[in-house]
Amino acid sequence: MSDALLRTRRRGRLLTLTALAAAGAGAAAWAARGLPGSFGRDPDDRDDRIRNSPQYADGTFHNAPSALARTPSGERPGPDTMRKVLFESEGRTPARPVPLVREAPATAPTDGVAVTWYGHASALVEIEGSRVLLDPIWSERCSPLTNLGPKRLHPVPVALSDLPPVDVVLISHDHYDHLDMATVKGLLRSQSAPFAVPLGIGGHLRRWGVPEHRIIELDWQETCTLGDLTVTLTAAHHFSGRTLKRNTTLWGSWVIAGPTRKVFYTGDSGYFEGYRAIGEQHGPFDAALVAIGAYNEAWADIHLNPEDAVLAHRELRGGLLLPVHWCTFNLALHPWAEPVERLLAEAKAQDVPVAVPRPGERVEVANPPEPDSWWVGLA
């Protein structure tokens, strides 16, 4: 096994420990009686689609080899880092309420693109008459338990049941801040759309009661067509896991295409060669939703920092940049508003157009609002 792969697996275990440490003794008690349903279910390792995936070897999925992935610092996140992430919040949470926009879109535009960001990575993409829901998490915490773990820093702007009908729900990977059991079960009641997910995540959905006809599992570069809408799972440089068992499910990014318009969503990823390749094969895009938060030098290869987010966006030929993966949960040690401040500075230097909506705010991509610094003074 290569040194790079060993380092990635160690970082994956440490990040998982950080997430699961929030569950503490409660998780251990649950485990004694059987795993909580929120842990999901490992995929069947006899599944031919998984075993034959180019991303799968030796029982787990792997990132593509990369010469550009950022090298993490030699200082690994140990117990002190875990304690700070979980229990210290000064400067990393807003001291005043985050302004919200509490309106549900009524009619999807038939000839353009609009994006409504609900906080963290959850967003509704409206593209030429179709609607796509990204990584929805409506729970109070991103955790396997309801009473422990990272808690919301602002309310959900719109009730899950008030969302308009969507054509597909896209999941980028199975971490708790992107795939939430309670939200999935809520969508089973309020929506009829299928869930398109990376290989292996179907196991989680099946345990939670999602019927087979509503599960679409894809490998990188595989495409699903739903009427006038086409979605393609593309690469990301990240990892997966809801327990200490790592990388039994795939992760990825998404290309969302209508008849003439395109939107890209990074999911969680570090910087790597894939962005230029995706831009060349699938771009240009009208807009790209790019993760900008929860970065740290200790895991620089699996999360973008704001400057790398702008670089990735340019290589994607991303059009309007819409930052996601910030504001809603305290998942790293940087100040709460630092991701967007650094992003705007770099975007200005690189002449990249940016819109920074409030949670719940709908952005018309053809006529985006100028950033108005609504976050200033909140922390």
Side-chain angles (χ1 to χ4, degrees):
M1 185 180 297
S2 70
D3 290 344
L5 181 56
L6 281 170
R7 288 196 300 270
T8 297
R9 288 188 172 180
R10 287 171 184 150
R11 283 191 297 278
R13 292 189 188 100
L14 286 164
L15 287 171
T16 301
L17 285 169
T18 299
L20 294 181
W30 272 107
R33 293 183 289 172
L35 293 179
S38 58
F39 280 15
R41 177 188 296 151
D42 285 336
D44 186 347
D45 59 10
R46 296 169 297 177
D47 186 328
D48 286 342
R49 293 197 64 212
I50 290 177
R51 289 192 294 111
N52 294 332
S53 168
Q55 283 61 249
Y56 192 79
D58 301 321
T60 60
F61 288 97
H62 301 269
N63 285 310
S66 174
L68 297 181
R70 305 308 191 204
T71 302
S73 68
E75 183 179 351
R76 297 174 186 156
D80 188 55
T81 299
M82 292 166 58
R83 177 186 59 79
K84 289 178 180 178
V85 168
L86 292 169
F87 302 114
E88 294 184 10
S89 61
E90 185 174 356
R92 294 171 24 226
T93 62
R96 295 166 52 194
V98 173
L100 307 177
V101 177
R102 297 181 178 273
E103 297 178 0
T107 303
T110 59
D111 60 353
V113 178
V115 177
T116 304
W117 176 58
Y118 295 112
H120 199 58
S122 302
L124 180 70
V125 175
E126 300 171 276
I127 180 167
E128 297 183 292
S130 298
R131 293 193 184 97
V132 179
L133 187 61
L134 302 177
D135 281 355
I137 172 168
W138 257 249
S139 290
E140 187 66 14
R141 298 178 187 272
C142 54
S143 168
L145 301 178
T146 58
N147 59 345
L148 290 169
K151 189 176 181 180
R152 281 187 169 275
L153 303 178
H154 64 79
V156 179
V158 176
L160 192 66
S161 58
D162 288 338
L163 290 180
V166 302
D167 295 279
V168 66
V169 180
L170 300 185
I171 303 298
S172 64
H173 63 295
D174 71 358
H175 287 158
Y176 288 98
D177 57 326
H178 294 259
L179 178 64
D180 176 60
M181 180 183 71
T183 302
V184 168
K185 290 187 173 184
L187 290 169
L188 281 179
R189 296 187 294 269
S190 63
Q191 300 279 348
S192 60
F195 295 80
V197 301
L199 283 177
I201 292 180
H204 301 319
L205 300 183
R206 293 179 185 97
R207 183 175 188 188
W208 300 336
V210 179
E212 198 66 37
H213 72 274
R214 291 183 63 177
I215 300 174
I216 302 167
E217 292 187 82
L218 301 178
D219 203 344
W220 291 350
Q221 295 302 325
E222 290 186 341
T223 291
C224 173
T225 299
L226 302 161
D228 290 334
L229 179 71
T230 300
V231 295
T232 302
L233 183 68
T234 44
H237 202 275
H238 198 55
F239 71 107
S240 68
R242 295 176 75 82
T243 66
L244 296 181
K245 196 171 183 180
R246 310 302 316 136
N247 298 341
T248 59
T249 65
L250 187 58
W251 49 94
S253 54
W254 286 100
V255 172
I256 304 163
T260 64
R261 307 284 186 175
K262 291 182 180 180
V263 172
F264 182 75
Y265 168 48
T266 63
D268 277 7
S269 178
Y271 176 72
F272 73 129
E273 292 87 341
Y275 291 120
R276 185 174 297 278
I278 292 167
E280 291 173 351
Q281 181 176 358
H282 298 283
F285 298 96
D286 295 271
L289 290 83
V290 183
I292 68 165
Y295 48 83
N296 188 288
E297 290 184 359
W299 53 85
D301 57 336
I302 55 175
H303 275 190
L304 293 166
N305 66 36
E307 293 75 23
D308 280 344
V310 173
L311 174 60
H313 182 84
R314 293 181 65 200
E315 294 186 348
L316 288 162
R317 299 187 290 163
L320 180 69
L321 194 161
L322 288 148
V324 299
H325 209 271
W326 79 285
C327 179
T328 306
F329 297 106
N330 178 10
L331 300 176
L333 298 177
H334 56 67
W336 175 71
E338 181 183 279
V340 73
E341 294 285 4
R342 284 175 55 176
L343 176 84
L344 288 174
E346 183 67 13
K348 182 177 180 180
Q350 301 297 332
D351 197 27
V352 170
V354 179
V356 187
R358 295 159 178 77
E361 185 174 359
R362 186 172 186 253
V363 172
E364 294 278 356
V365 169
N367 187 30
E370 291 289 331
D372 62 3
S373 301
W374 55 262
W375 56 87
V376 172
L378 297 186

